Amino acid sequence: MTAAITAFPNPLSGFESQFDDCVEEVAFLWLLRSRALIQPHYRTSDLAELESRIDAQLFALAQAPERAWAACQSALAHAGPGEVFAAAAVAFRTLEVGCIQQAVEAGLQDEAGFAALVSALTWLPGRYCHDWVRKFFISKEHIHKRLALATCRARGEDPCDFLTRILRRNDCRADSLLHGEALRCVGVFKRRDLSPFLAEGREGGEPGVTFEACRSAILLGDRSAAKMLMPFALQSGPRQCDALILAMRVLPSTEAKQWVAQLFGQTSPDAARLSVIATAALGDPEAVPWLLRCMKQLSLARVAGEAFYQITGVDLQAHDLHHQLPQLNDAEAQDHPDTPVPPMDDDEHLPWPNTEKLTVFWETIKHRYPPGERLLLGEPVTEANLQRVLSEGPQRQRAAAALELALLDPQQSWFSMERRQESS
């Protein structure tokens, strides 16, 4: 009887390539999703659909964990961030220490992998990751502690005493990346008990630490810290856009407009574009005539159109205020892993404004938008309106609403845009 049973072949034999395909599909879909989080044409329903496709592939992989992990190991041999996400999402579900260590080591090789690892830990139910996050917190490795903090921030879960202990340790504060992440969490989770560490961080010399200390101080209600954002906002660098968007929301209107004018007068390639983005964050309808002039410049047309939408709530496509252009992308390209992911174009999914129509249209509606009042999608910046945008708006405007809500209520944590739609 035993010999007869062992003579049967493994029912999964010959299906190895299907596991490889599933891992490849997860990696590809996650890359799409990571981009979708900041693309203007995605809403919560679109993200939920994309996330359900990722879940379907992960469910298929979960049916045969050993073979799924073997496919992940093969993918990690040429790991990009998508492969790191897939491997981590599979590894943590296996509960196997060896698998988890391999996935974590692969993700910690660079910042792109680090972000994918955080995304996987954010994706998983708490029963698969909470114990590991605690282990990362008590690890001797600073990068493990930063991973735990970043995961807590993305999941919207206060690190509590772990955050306090990190900020009290001299060796942790000496690591600028860990220190910056810890200070960021102070503001995100409105940890006023840790505000003395923000004052220390603002006096430090490392730019990333100073920026995070200033941002968190502002989130805790100290709007005077906005003035310290000027070097970040008006000089090219990795934090320039974040600094500008935050400063526009907290500076007095007159001063904010002076910053925009100063930036627009610079000769750097991105200065004019960033000025338009800053104007959208300021949200004052008084800027609309200037935005209409910006729309006549090819390089600024679409981003200025988006700024007009963000201030007024007027959808250019819905009101036929855009140019009907032929589709420039390859119509035959399929949503499939074999299709190369093109470089990110921030304006790709924005309409081209028809300035002639839009100028006439604005004359008919401008009486509805009194200058001097800050607006988001045509409505005052109030809690009820912001909650509506966060629930129903496009991604970029949802992100704006999340930040405005965190600034509006000194007690409310900053909503994480990384969280899955089902847990929103």
Side-chain angles (χ1 to χ4, degrees):
M1 179 66 71
T2 302
I5 292 175
T6 56
F8 283 104
N10 187 322
L12 294 175
S13 179
F15 289 91
E16 289 82 356
S17 63
Q18 293 189 13
F19 290 96
D20 293 336
D21 291 343
C22 280
V23 171
E24 188 177 4
E25 184 79 9
V26 170
F28 178 77
L29 291 173
W30 177 81
L31 286 173
L32 291 183
R33 193 252 183 188
S34 65
R35 290 186 170 198
L37 291 175
I38 56 172
Q39 286 189 336
H41 63 305
Y42 267 84
R43 296 176 183 262
T44 52
S45 57
D46 304 311
L47 282 174
E49 180 181 352
L50 186 53
E51 290 165 357
S52 70
R53 293 171 62 190
I54 297 174
D55 275 333
Q57 298 297 326
L58 290 174
F59 177 80
L61 290 169
Q63 304 315 298
E66 291 185 5
R67 292 183 178 273
W69 178 244
C72 288
Q73 283 182 303
S74 298
L76 285 177
H78 46 85
E83 287 75 20
V84 168
F85 171 85
V90 169
F92 279 93
R93 279 189 170 93
T94 68
L95 304 179
E96 294 289 337
V97 173
C99 300
I100 292 169
Q101 287 177 335
Q102 288 184 55
V104 171
E105 287 173 6
L108 297 182
Q109 297 302 309
D110 54 41
E111 288 301 307
F114 184 94
L117 198 53
V118 170
S119 182
L121 287 164
T122 306
W123 193 278
L124 293 166
R127 65 183 182 274
Y128 291 117
C129 68
H130 280 158
D131 286 345
W132 276 96
V133 170
R134 293 187 189 96
K135 291 177 182 177
F136 293 143
F137 270 125
I138 62 177
S139 168
K140 295 180 180 179
E141 299 294 333
H142 286 175
I143 196 168
H144 288 161
K145 295 180 186 297
R146 182 162 73 96
L147 175 61
L149 283 176
T151 298
C152 287
R153 175 171 54 78
R155 292 179 66 91
E157 298 170 350
D158 190 338
C160 299
D161 288 343
F162 289 117
L163 177 58
T164 306
R165 292 170 195 163
I166 287 172
L167 284 171
R168 285 178 176 169
R169 286 178 50 172
N170 292 333
D171 63 320
C172 291
R173 296 199 306 275
D175 182 327
S176 61
L177 291 176
L178 176 57
H179 192 192
E181 183 62 56
L183 293 178
R184 184 174 184 179
C185 286
V186 172
V188 166
F189 295 107
K190 304 300 177 72
R191 293 287 302 274
R192 281 180 173 70
D193 58 309
L194 300 176
S195 57
F197 291 103
L198 299 181
E200 178 186 342
R202 286 160 65 176
E203 296 171 359
E206 208 287 321
V209 171
T210 302
F211 174 76
E212 296 298 350
C214 291
R215 175 158 63 179
S216 287
I218 292 167
L219 287 167
L220 290 179
D222 181 8
R223 299 205 167 192
S224 66
K227 295 184 184 298
M228 293 189 67
L229 293 176
M230 186 178 235
F232 298 100
L234 299 184
Q235 296 175 19
S236 296
R239 301 170 186 87
Q240 185 175 19
C241 190
D242 286 343
L244 269 172
I245 287 173
L246 180 57
M248 293 300 106
R249 290 185 162 91
V250 296
L251 284 171
S253 178
T254 301
E255 190 171 354
K257 291 173 183 176
Q258 289 172 352
W259 283 30
V260 174
Q262 187 173 341
L263 180 63
F264 192 75
Q266 295 179 3
T267 57
S268 63
D270 295 329
R273 177 185 179 82
L274 287 168
S275 301
V276 172
I277 293 172
T279 300
L282 181 58
D284 188 342
E286 186 179 39
V288 168
W290 177 74
L291 290 173
L292 290 170
R293 292 194 295 273
C294 289
M295 291 178 206
K296 296 178 181 179
Q297 300 181 41
L298 189 64
S299 61
L300 299 178
R302 288 185 287 179
V303 70
E306 184 182 32
F308 176 87
Y309 167 64
Q310 183 158 316
I311 295 171
T312 65
V314 174
D315 187 315
L316 302 188
Q317 291 176 303
H319 289 80
D320 192 25
L321 298 171
H322 67 297
H323 288 290
Q324 298 284 355
L325 298 179
Q327 178 57 256
L328 300 179
N329 294 330
D330 183 4
E332 301 300 321
Q334 301 295 318
D335 182 11
H336 186 275
D338 291 336
T339 303
V341 179
M344 177 72 80
D345 179 354
D346 290 338
D347 295 348
E348 179 181 0
H349 298 285
L350 294 173
W352 286 94
N354 185 320
T355 52
E356 290 78 11
K357 283 186 176 182
L358 196 49
T359 300
V360 173
F361 184 79
W362 174 244
E363 289 299 316
T364 66
I365 66 166
K366 65 181 182 181
H367 63 279
R368 305 177 195 170
Y369 303 93
E373 182 177 16
R374 295 192 62 241
L375 303 176
L376 177 62
L377 294 186
E379 300 291 340
V381 180
T382 64
E383 182 177 0
N385 290 332
L386 294 173
Q387 289 288 1
R388 190 179 308 113
V389 175
L390 187 60
S391 298
E392 305 169 2
Q395 280 301 105
R396 292 181 187 171
Q397 285 67 47
R398 289 185 69 227
L403 177 54
E404 292 282 10
L405 280 167
L407 293 168
L408 194 64
D409 184 353
Q411 304 300 322
Q412 179 169 314
S413 297
W414 188 359
F415 178 82
S416 170
M417 297 296 291
E418 289 284 341
R419 292 163 62 183
R420 299 177 58 185
Q421 299 312 299
E422 65 182 25
S423 61
S424 302

